[in-house]
Amino acid sequence: VMSGTGGLTINGGTQILSGANTYTGNTNVASGAGLNLTGSIASTLSNAGTTNVNGGKVGGKTTNTGTLTAQNGTLAAIDNNAGQATLTNSTAGAVTNAQNATFSATGGTLASATNAGTMTLGTGNTVTGNVTNNGSLTLNGNTINGTLAAQSGNLTVTASNSQAGSLSGAGNGTLNGGLTLTNASDTYSGVLSGQGGLTVNGGAQTLTGDNTYTG
């Protein structure tokens, strides 16, 4: 266990941290270096290399410009900036995915998600808050408890069991699967196309676009 006010920088090789570390300085993983976190760090993580949060925990915000994976891990928040992030059965706070970044989550829980790049939310994943899309967003059997704000870019639904609370925005979408709204209260002015369908199970949803979906 490392404590204190200093930080840790990994400039080469791959470091394994398995203890419950409490140091309050930053953890920096340089390009070409790696971190395998099976324990925990209390503060922020800056990753430009390869980091695997394998059952571990990051207490502060993670800024990723490299390759970040999490399996059964816990991350306080993620800024995925020109990086690649993949979460499997992991918990994260607010996720921000930048224009040139890719992010995917299968299983696990996210507090919220804001996308300007390429994002896929898959089977068993739950977003407890809102999802805001200005990039390329694919929903594949996940649940959004808040509002799906399709502001711009494109939205694709590929599984019949994808859910959101409500739908808003002007970005166009393709329903290859079905989308269910459970607490609708918004206006959507984009165009939904595709062979899938839309189900409103609660509330009132307003559609003002010339939708062409056939489900």
Side-chain angles (χ1 to χ4, degrees), residues 7 15 60 80 85 95 97 127 134 140 157 171 177 180 214:
Q15 180 65 49
N80 194 36
V95 173
N97 192 50
V127 182
N134 291 287
N140 186 23
V157 179
T180 298
T214 57

Side-chain angles (χ1 to χ4, degrees), residues 40-113:
S40 61
I41 55 178
S43 58
T44 61
L45 168 66
S46 298
N47 177 56
T50 301
T51 292
N52 181 20
V53 184
N54 189 3
K57 179 178 180 180
V58 179
K61 180 180 289 187
T62 297
T63 301
N64 180 54
T65 58
T67 301
L68 172 68
T69 61
Q71 299 172 341
N72 302 310
T74 302
L75 300 101
I78 302 173
D79 278 350
N80 194 36
N81 187 1
Q84 178 177 334
T86 303
L87 276 62
T88 304
N89 295 328
S90 294
T91 300
V95 173
T96 302
N97 192 50
Q99 183 174 2
N100 296 318
T102 60
F103 177 90
S104 65
T106 303
T109 303
L110 311 177
S112 63

Side-chain angles (χ1 to χ4, degrees), residues 180-184 199-203:
T180 298
L181 304 178
T182 58
N183 189 26
T199 299
V200 182
N201 265 347

Side-chain angles (χ1 to χ4, degrees), residues 18-47:
S18 60
N21 300 283
T22 60
Y23 62 89
T24 56
N26 293 349
T27 301
N28 302 300
V29 182
S31 177
L35 169 64
N36 188 359
L37 184 64
T38 60
S40 61
I41 55 178
S43 58
T44 61
L45 168 66
S46 298
N47 177 56

